[in-house]
Amino acid sequence: MSYIRLQSTSILLMGITYLISQFIDSPLLPKLVSIFAFITLVLFIPYLTKVPRILISSLLILTILLSIFGEGLLTMLWSFDENAGLLAIFIFVPLISIPIKAGRYLDSMDVIFTSYVRSTKQLYNYLAFSTMGVGSVMNLGSIPIIHQLTSTEAFDHHMDTKLRAMNRGFSMAFMWSPYFISVALVLSYFDISWLELFPYGFALALIGMVIGTIAQRKDSQPIVIKQDAIDKQTLKKAQRKVMQLLTLIVTMTVITILLEQFVDLSIITIVPLVAIGFSTVWTLFYLSPKQFAEKLSEYAQDRLPKMGNELSLFIAAGAFGYAIIQAGASDLVIFFLQSTGITHVLILLPLIALLINVLSFIGIHPIITNTALATTFSSSIIFAGDHLILSLGILSGWMLTIMISPFSATNLMVGNLVGSNSLRVGYRLNFHFGLLIYLVQYLMICGFYYFL
């Protein structure tokens, strides 16, 4: 068995075992999840890029030290399943990209772009809303796809508009999509449901989109498309196809909501199950079972091993979060807040955002910071009644990080696609806009706190 196959096998065993453990009450299954997670981590560490390898190794060293002086190394081993639910989402949700590509929905989006975009304002709006919509289920995979759809000579003259739109649209999906690791994290730690979170998170995202549209309108320029006009029949077919895609995305979300209400499972478990089931049924409308099996094999052997940086980070962050809580970090944080007089959740939120972003600018991934924060505040008596507000505050701070940090995966990917760099994409093009959006969202969260 090749090394890559070993990596993909350990990832799949970890994810599948976690899902099985949600239906079978056996103390052995969580331990198996931890073992598979540990094996995955060991298999990937030698092949990680420099910064993630240093960061994850440092986390592991700290986790080992805390465990030696705490509950022991065996307990540490069993803690590697702390973020198993988040990992399952990260592993299985991208399966939805298979039917989207097989059904040629992206070709129809290309037709829509070419037919309707005649100004930078329209380009921004179509790109931003498409990235948020498609990205809400395809995650980072949506960015190179949306970029390819607009890789024409006419659009390439307005690259900054494209960069802003893709960055901002994707960042807003962090506020509400159940298929994003950000939402999954707060739901797994705080005592709230996705149905409670969604209207507030979506409202915060929508205001961000509206402000972006208004800001872009001031500098709108015409775009000349040097291409033959698309006939009406082709355009109508593309419109129906895109509406079908939107309907299917909404249907997935509705099914997820209904299952959360009527099934005794957490949203963290429901999301990967819906992704697996929906992508299977959807794909079989376009591909034969044999072709689908080939796509699954391709996914396992190609896509999964490329997730090594993120998966390793989530595994290490979960174990580290558990270790610092067992070492009494939660009590120390609460003591610090009380000694400084910070016991009101609305005063705490800007400090959370500041911490997330400062650490992200020195290369510490938000999943580490937010896991530690969520673990700490979710177990605090002081903030027992503020779980929804804390969740929104963490998501808003995380959104800002994704938008402006040169180390965010979004900006690294966008910069790489266009031959630019993440510092320019995040800091130069979006820093001031990101701060404005965070300020508006913070004021809205204050309004939610006092008036709803």
Side-chain angles (χ1 to χ4, degrees):
M1 184 180 291
S2 69
Y3 200 86
I4 290 177
R5 187 168 295 180
L6 276 174
Q7 291 175 327
S8 61
T9 300
S10 66
I11 292 170
L12 287 172
L13 285 173
M14 174 177 60
I16 293 170
T17 306
Y18 165 77
L19 293 178
I20 293 173
S21 72
Q22 302 305 296
F23 295 93
I24 300 176
D25 186 16
S26 168
L28 176 63
L29 289 174
K31 292 183 177 181
L32 284 175
V33 175
S34 295
I35 291 171
F36 291 137
F38 178 72
I39 292 172
T40 299
L41 193 60
V42 171
L43 289 173
F44 273 107
I45 283 180
Y47 295 91
L48 297 176
T49 53
K50 184 177 179 180
V51 173
R53 184 168 65 247
I54 293 171
L55 187 56
I56 291 168
S57 299
S58 300
L59 281 178
L60 288 176
I61 291 169
L62 289 172
T63 303
I64 291 170
L65 291 174
L66 289 170
S67 300
I68 289 174
F69 295 104
E71 297 188 346
L73 293 178
L74 186 60
T75 301
M76 181 196 76
L77 176 61
W78 304 141
S79 72
F80 280 101
D81 71 333
E82 283 294 299
N83 278 343
L86 309 184
L87 292 162
I89 289 175
F90 203 77
I91 293 166
F92 296 114
V93 165
L95 288 170
I96 299 167
S97 64
I98 296 176
I100 288 179
K101 292 177 181 177
R104 302 183 69 85
Y105 292 94
L106 303 175
D107 294 344
S108 297
M109 289 183 65
D110 189 18
V111 172
I112 298 295
F113 276 125
T114 305
S115 301
Y116 288 108
V117 174
R118 291 295 181 270
S119 69
T120 53
K121 178 186 73 174
Q122 292 173 328
L123 176 62
Y124 178 91
N125 289 338
Y126 277 107
L127 275 176
F129 281 95
S130 296
T131 306
M132 184 174 79
V134 178
S136 67
V137 293
M138 286 187 65
N139 214 293
L140 276 172
S142 64
I143 293 178
I145 290 169
I146 298 298
H147 170 67
Q148 289 169 11
L149 293 179
T150 54
S151 290
T152 64
E153 184 179 352
F155 294 151
D156 285 345
H157 291 304
H158 305 282
M159 189 58 68
D160 284 357
T161 300
K162 286 181 60 175
L163 295 178
R164 290 188 182 97
M166 289 190 292
N167 171 294
R168 297 171 188 180
F170 188 80
S171 299
M172 292 306 150
F174 267 75
M175 299 298 302
W176 61 272
S177 174
Y179 302 98
F180 268 57
I181 210 75
S182 53
V183 173
L185 185 140
V186 297
L187 294 179
S188 65
Y189 283 99
F190 292 106
D191 186 22
I192 56 170
S193 68
W194 183 76
L195 200 56
E196 292 174 290
L197 177 71
F198 170 72
Y200 300 104
F202 191 73
L204 294 174
L206 195 58
I207 195 65
M209 299 295 283
V210 170
I211 292 173
T213 297
I214 294 171
Q216 186 62 35
R217 186 180 299 170
K218 295 185 301 182
D219 302 317
S220 184
Q221 301 173 18
I223 298 177
V224 178
I225 305 292
K226 297 178 181 179
Q227 182 175 318
D228 294 336
I230 296 171
D231 63 88
K232 290 184 178 180
Q233 186 176 358
T234 302
L235 182 58
K236 286 183 178 179
K237 184 179 179 181
Q239 289 172 334
R240 288 195 299 269
K241 197 74 173 178
V242 170
M243 285 303 300
Q244 186 185 98
L245 175 61
L246 293 175
T247 302
L248 288 166
I249 290 174
V250 171
T251 301
M252 280 183 58
T253 305
V254 170
I255 290 173
T256 302
I257 294 169
L258 292 175
L259 286 174
E260 185 187 21
Q261 296 302 304
F262 297 110
V263 177
D264 189 23
L265 292 171
S266 73
I267 191 84
I268 309 300
T269 304
I270 293 170
V271 166
L273 289 174
V274 169
I276 293 169
F278 209 88
S279 61
T280 300
V281 175
W282 191 0
T283 302
L284 291 176
F285 277 98
Y286 301 104
L287 302 177
S288 67
K290 182 180 179 181
Q291 290 172 319
F292 182 42
E294 290 172 353
K295 290 293 182 183
L296 288 176
S297 177
E298 181 183 319
Y299 176 82
Q301 300 303 317
D302 182 52
R303 182 73 179 268
L304 287 181
K306 292 179 180 178
M307 298 179 181
N309 283 351
E310 292 80 7
L311 290 170
S312 300
L313 199 53
F314 296 157
I315 294 169
F320 177 69
Y322 178 84
I324 62 172
I325 292 302
Q326 296 305 310
S330 178
D331 295 334
L332 289 174
V333 171
I334 299 303
F335 174 76
F336 170 76
L337 293 175
Q338 289 176 327
S339 64
T340 55
I342 302 173
T343 56
H344 197 289
V345 67
L346 295 180
I347 299 175
L348 181 62
L349 296 190
L351 296 178
I352 289 176
L354 181 65
L355 181 63
I356 296 170
N357 282 272
V358 167
L359 292 179
S360 75
F361 267 78
I362 60 174
I364 297 179
H365 197 283
I367 192 69
I368 299 171
T369 311
N370 289 321
T371 297
L373 292 174
T375 306
T376 299
F377 294 126
S378 63
S379 60
S380 167
I381 298 175
I382 297 176
F383 303 108
D386 298 319
H387 283 199
L388 176 59
I389 297 298
L390 277 168
S391 297
L392 293 173
I394 288 176
L395 290 174
S396 189
W398 200 335
M399 174 280 302
L400 179 60
T401 301
I402 296 305
M403 190 179 292
I404 70 173
S405 173
F407 291 103
S408 80
T410 307
N411 290 330
L412 287 167
M413 176 177 285
V414 171
N416 182 61
L417 285 172
V418 301
S420 183
N421 61 76
S422 60
L423 180 63
R424 182 173 185 273
V425 176
Y427 183 76
R428 294 184 184 175
L429 294 181
N430 290 294
F431 184 77
H432 293 100
F433 179 82
L435 291 180
L436 172 63
I437 296 301
Y438 177 78
L439 176 61
V440 172
Q441 289 185 345
Y442 174 70
L443 294 175
M444 288 180 67
I445 293 172
C446 291
F448 297 155
Y449 181 85
Y450 284 112
F451 300 112
L452 297 178

